[in-house]
Amino acid sequence: MLGNSLSISKEYLKKVIKPGDTVIDATCGNGLDTLYLKELTGKEGKVFGFDIQDIALENTKKLLKEKGQEENVFLTLCSHSELDKYVCEPVKAVVFNLGYLPKGDHSITTLPETTIVAIEKALQILIPGGIISVMIYHGGDSGFHERDELIKYLERLDNKRFTVLMHNFINQINYPPILAVIEKKK
Amino acid sequence: MLGNSLSISKEYLKKVIKPGDTVIDATCGNGLDTLYLKELTGKEGKVFGFDIQDIALENTKKLLKEKGQEENVFLTLCSHSELDKYVCEPVKAVVFNLGYLPKGDHSITTLPETTIVAIEKALQILIPGGIISVMIYHGGDSGFHERDELIKYLERLDNKRFTVLMHNFINQINYPPILAVIEKKK
């Protein structure tokens, strides 16, 4: 019943996103989240996707094509810290899946400095009632630095404007990812 | 949408408890959880309730009577650490609301030693797929000792048998309670 960080994130996104909404996948990776977001926003909705690796956007495009879900998906090869250059409209949800590309080069990872800039920009265009889901990988070859910096940042978010809820599976081996969900108050 | 620790706990309990189930309120307090559990288990279900304070059980009885929900509720004036003496049958859910009695004597509080014994005993009679919800108060005049001892204990629970998920609102003032949910694997 409790599931895992991914199933919890998907449940929140499903609750919040309605057909026709505009949303962002801040870390396309292999496209699984992009596809899920596209399915939730439907034909009329828009998904903006970002990644700094060519291979990630190629994999994402391929997956969307396979599933017939390419329409109204806008992929950009750049850091999510520049998302404000490409998305000017209000968004209902933003998804961050931090760390390295699954099955990719483990030396290319998200960094707390740019992740925090990206979250900051995402919060500005987030619709009240909208959410940002941040999957934080830690331990193993991800280390703890990004997790610790992010948590410090999230703890300081204005409680009058935002609610931050952390989900942490604490008795598992191999450091399962921590899920942070930020809601903009209405 | 994110709600608070209490609304999240209630949502989990609602998902898991079916009419006819047997459940435990390990800390009756003023009876709000006992009443909620009784409503979920229905006429045929059983609720065992514990508290170490007379006034708590009186308030609980009064509330249940007011709402016409006294049937099949078994209240015992003793520590939840002795719950095994009163409940021998398998249970679907157990609720702990730690700390002191709301509006009561702040010097009478739950203690990590007895709370951990109680959780240990509750885990033994928990049905696979069942849950234990633990609301952990900290900060203010509750201190951090019980929280820290409990988290150390929960981190060590056998991951092959149990999943432990912590919910923590990290950017709020006044230390909102942390919710721990333990699920027994099927």
Side-chain angles (χ1 to χ4, degrees):
Chain A
M1 199 264 301
L2 290 180
N4 56 39
S5 300
L6 182 61
S7 66
I8 297 171
S9 165
K10 286 175 105 170
E11 218 171 296
Y12 283 122
L13 294 167
K14 202 174 177 178
K15 268 190 193 169
V16 163
I17 299 171
K18 304 288 170 219
D21 281 342
T22 299
V23 302
I24 298 175
D25 186 349
T27 47
C28 285
N30 292 317
L32 287 170
D33 286 338
T34 324
L35 175 64
Y36 185 66
L37 291 172
K38 188 60 216 158
E39 288 167 349
L40 292 176
T41 55
K43 265 200 153 202
E44 306 299 314
K46 272 190 248 176
V47 180
F48 289 91
F50 298 92
D51 210 292
I52 53 164
Q53 294 186 68
D54 255 331
I55 179 75
L57 294 190
E58 274 166 35
N59 291 347
T60 300
K61 265 181 210 157
K62 206 179 141 198
L63 180 67
L64 293 168
K65 199 173 174 185
E66 266 174 34
K67 305 288 182 183
Q69 295 278 15
E70 299 157 281
E71 213 182 332
N72 280 333
V73 179
F74 308 95
L75 303 178
T76 308
L77 182 72
C78 82
S79 165
H80 41 223
S81 63
E82 300 186 65
L83 63 86
D84 54 322
K85 291 186 186 157
Y86 303 90
V87 190
C88 305
E89 58 198 290
V91 299
K92 188 59 103 39
V94 186
V95 175
F96 288 82
N97 205 338
L98 305 180
Y100 46 77
L101 180 69
K103 298 181 195 164
D105 181 348
H106 289 205
S107 73
I108 307 173
T109 76
T110 53
L111 296 169
E113 301 75 29
T114 41
T115 300
I116 288 170
V117 169
I119 293 177
E120 196 71 37
K121 289 180 173 176
L123 288 174
Q124 284 172 27
I125 53 171
L126 194 65
I127 293 171
I131 60 166
I132 299 183
S133 164
V134 189
M135 194 80 79
I136 307 167
Y137 290 84
H138 60 130
D141 58 359
S142 298
F144 298 103
H145 179 59
E146 185 166 35
R147 177 196 68 180
D148 295 342
E149 291 301 307
L150 264 173
I151 290 177
K152 262 191 266 173
Y153 165 75
L154 295 173
E155 280 176 344
R156 285 191 299 253
L157 276 183
D158 181 2
N159 67 68
K160 289 191 188 71
R161 298 179 61 215
F162 304 105
T163 305
V164 184
L165 176 57
M166 306 297 285
H167 305 73
N168 197 354
F169 288 89
I170 63 168
N171 74 324
Q172 306 301 308
I173 50 168
N174 295 333
Y175 301 101
I178 296 171
L179 172 67
V181 181
I182 311 164
E183 183 177 26
K184 192 171 197 168
K185 292 189 179 181
K186 282 185 181 170
Chain B
M1 198 264 299
L2 290 180
N4 56 39
S5 300
L6 182 62
S7 66
I8 297 172
S9 165
K10 286 175 107 169
E11 217 172 295
Y12 283 123
L13 293 168
K14 203 175 176 177
K15 268 191 195 169
V16 163
I17 298 172
K18 305 290 170 217
D21 282 342
T22 298
V23 303
I24 298 175
D25 185 350
T27 48
C28 285
N30 291 317
L32 288 170
D33 287 336
T34 323
L35 175 64
Y36 185 65
L37 291 173
K38 188 60 216 158
E39 287 167 350
L40 292 177
T41 54
K43 264 199 157 207
E44 307 299 315
K46 272 190 248 175
V47 180
F48 290 91
F50 299 92
D51 209 292
I52 53 165
Q53 294 186 67
D54 255 331
I55 179 77
L57 294 189
E58 273 167 36
N59 290 347
T60 300
K61 265 180 211 160
K62 205 178 142 198
L63 181 66
L64 293 168
K65 198 174 175 185
E66 265 174 37
K67 303 290 181 182
Q69 297 277 16
E70 300 158 280
E71 212 182 332
N72 280 334
V73 179
F74 309 95
L75 303 177
T76 307
L77 183 72
C78 81
S79 165
H80 43 223
S81 63
E82 300 187 64
L83 63 86
D84 54 322
K85 290 185 187 159
Y86 303 91
V87 191
C88 305
E89 58 199 290
V91 300
K92 188 59 104 39
V94 185
V95 174
F96 288 83
N97 205 338
L98 304 181
Y100 47 75
L101 180 69
K103 299 179 192 164
D105 181 348
H106 288 207
S107 73
I108 307 174
T109 76
T110 52
L111 296 168
E113 300 75 30
T114 41
T115 301
I116 288 170
V117 169
I119 294 177
E120 196 69 38
K121 289 181 174 176
L123 288 174
Q124 283 173 27
I125 54 171
L126 194 65
I127 292 171
I131 61 166
I132 299 182
S133 164
V134 189
M135 194 80 81
I136 307 167
Y137 290 84
H138 59 132
D141 57 0
S142 298
F144 298 102
H145 178 60
E146 184 166 36
R147 177 196 69 181
D148 295 343
E149 291 300 308
L150 264 174
I151 290 177
K152 262 191 264 174
Y153 165 74
L154 295 174
E155 280 175 345
R156 285 192 297 252
L157 276 184
D158 181 2
N159 66 68
K160 289 192 188 72
R161 298 180 59 213
F162 304 106
T163 305
V164 184
L165 176 58
M166 307 297 286
H167 306 73
N168 198 355
F169 288 90
I170 63 169
N171 75 323
Q172 305 302 308
I173 51 167
N174 294 333
Y175 302 100
I178 296 171
L179 172 66
V181 181
I182 311 164
E183 183 178 26
K184 192 171 198 167
K185 293 191 179 178
K186 281 184 183 170

